[in-house]
Amino acid sequence: MVSELAPIVLFVYNRPRHARLTVEALQKNRLASESELYVYADGPRGESDRQQVEEVRDYLGGVDGFARVTMIKREHNMGLANSIISGVSDILDRYNRVIVLEDDMVTSPHFLRYMNGALELYEHEEWVISVHGYVYPAQESLPETFFLKGADCWGWGTWKRGWNQFEPDGAKLYRELKDRRLEQRFDLNGSYDYTQMLKDQISGKNDSWAIRWYASALLNDRLTLYPGRSLVQNIGTDKSGVHCVATNDYLTKVTLEPIHLERLWPEENGAALTILQRYFESLRLPFHKRLLGKLKEAAGC
């Protein structure tokens, strides 16, 4: 039984259709009507996107189906990273836990049940830094729930104690990764170049808060809980977002069945890590080889 429902924090900008799909999916969660929703609406970059920003705000201003809806309208454009960092910090100054979504996260009807249950279950486990709702579409079956070192960003939750470990200085994080020779592990044992992503954040080529969240968690040797079946679909990989390119690599089927939670020993699941490494490695194969693999899978080969 969950003793305290976490407030939901939703970050929006200038995508009315995405925001509507995200909220409509969230409203279908049984715990939505008992949950407080805080909306952080970033300001326009200029006149070119002012109308879309206002459309998003007008829609969310009339949203119901939650215990309470509070909108924080930014007068100026803060950018996604600054908006999320300040918004999550603000909420965790008032609450002990939080669930975080962006405006392109379509959730399963069981998302809030899983997130609140996991936040309750691991609240006092210092080694667990966060809970995640999305899982990559690996071809192999994953455990019902499992731990990986680090943290993630597509439908997640944490506690005040977890967010206190966030380090916003990317250069400091990179130096520590190098000094402790953790770059290979940071890159999921060479399967994905997260180190380059962090370098790009330092040089200003991207404005990722998430790469700093991941590095902060890994350097503190902390764990994030994942579901074996995804409770989130990211619909923003359609080139509509400021920081996204068009790709279908991360499309996953959102589970319509609840995730069964049971307390796990706080350690990384090596088998799950290997499965996800193989998934990322498969993305680096030439297109025709990837297509052949999918055809074989469909044929049961």
Side-chain angles (χ1 to χ4, degrees):
M1 186 72 176
V2 177
S3 61
E4 175 190 353
L5 292 183
I8 307 160
V9 184
L10 173 63
F11 293 91
V12 303
Y13 175 36
N14 67 350
R15 294 186 288 178
R17 185 182 72 85
H18 292 73
R20 184 181 295 274
L21 291 171
T22 295
V23 171
E24 287 176 351
L26 197 55
Q27 288 170 323
K28 294 175 183 175
N29 277 255
R30 184 174 61 83
L31 294 179
S33 62
E34 304 170 48
S35 303
E36 293 190 42
L37 175 65
Y38 288 85
V39 180
Y40 283 82
D42 207 1
R45 288 186 164 192
E47 290 304 315
S48 61
D49 66 352
R50 186 175 298 277
Q51 181 178 342
Q52 288 177 301
V53 167
E54 290 303 325
E55 284 182 30
V56 171
R57 294 180 178 192
D58 287 346
Y59 164 66
L60 286 162
V63 160
D64 57 15
F66 300 91
R68 184 173 67 180
V69 179
T70 303
M71 191 184 311
I72 298 91
K73 299 179 182 179
R74 307 294 198 186
E75 291 186 19
H76 307 289
N77 185 270
M78 295 183 66
L80 181 62
N82 287 334
S83 184
I84 288 181
I85 292 168
S86 65
V88 171
S89 298
D90 287 347
I91 295 299
L92 287 174
D93 280 341
R94 289 180 277 164
Y95 298 88
N96 182 51
R97 57 182 80 165
V98 67
I99 295 169
V100 185
L101 289 167
E102 295 173 42
D103 63 357
D104 51 9
M105 303 290 156
V106 173
T107 53
S108 161
H110 304 289
F111 172 74
L112 290 179
R113 172 181 168 181
Y114 161 79
M115 295 297 292
N116 280 288
L119 287 169
E120 178 87 3
L121 187 60
Y122 295 105
E123 180 176 12
H124 302 295
E125 181 52 72
E126 291 293 326
W127 290 106
V128 183
I129 196 170
S130 67
V131 178
H132 203 241
Y134 172 88
V135 69
Y136 294 97
Q139 295 183 6
E140 302 163 75
S141 295
L142 289 161
E144 185 75 354
T145 58
F146 59 93
F147 285 120
L148 292 179
K149 288 185 180 180
D152 225 318
C153 61
W154 287 356
W156 57 284
T158 190
W159 307 266
K160 186 177 179 65
R161 62 164 177 79
W163 190 243
N164 283 342
Q165 297 180 64
F166 175 71
E167 171 55 63
D169 187 337
K172 180 179 179 180
L173 291 166
Y174 178 58
R175 286 194 301 270
E176 190 170 348
L177 285 168
K178 284 187 67 178
D179 290 347
R180 292 170 57 183
R181 298 181 181 180
L182 285 173
E183 293 157 286
Q184 179 75 2
R185 176 60 187 82
F186 188 58
D187 290 344
L188 288 186
N189 297 326
S191 62
Y192 194 90
D193 201 352
Y194 285 111
T195 299
Q196 186 59 53
M197 190 184 299
L198 181 58
K199 289 179 181 178
D200 287 346
Q201 186 277 322
I202 295 165
S203 66
K205 293 180 181 178
N206 71 50
D207 189 29
S208 174
W209 66 273
I211 194 66
R212 289 173 280 170
W213 177 222
Y214 170 38
S216 299
L218 184 68
L219 286 166
N220 283 288
D221 202 29
R222 295 301 192 256
L223 301 163
T224 285
L225 184 77
Y226 289 80
R229 291 167 282 120
S230 192
L231 291 150
V232 178
Q233 174 65 276
N234 185 335
I235 61 171
T237 56
D238 56 358
K239 213 174 181 179
S240 63
V242 175
H243 304 288
C244 293
V245 296
T247 178
N248 290 322
D249 288 339
Y250 307 119
L251 290 179
T252 187
K253 185 181 294 184
V254 172
T255 183
L256 297 178
E257 297 296 326
I259 298 293
H260 174 67
L261 283 169
E262 61 179 354
R263 183 177 292 277
L264 304 178
W265 185 258
E267 64 181 6
E268 184 167 63
N269 188 308
L273 177 62
T274 298
I275 288 171
L276 293 179
Q277 284 174 202
R278 284 199 285 260
Y279 162 74
F280 281 115
E281 288 165 357
S282 73
L283 298 184
R284 293 154 57 180
L285 293 172
F287 176 77
H288 69 280
K289 288 188 177 180
R290 291 166 62 185
L291 180 60
L292 180 61
K294 289 181 179 180
L295 290 173
K296 286 183 176 179
E297 181 186 6
C301 299

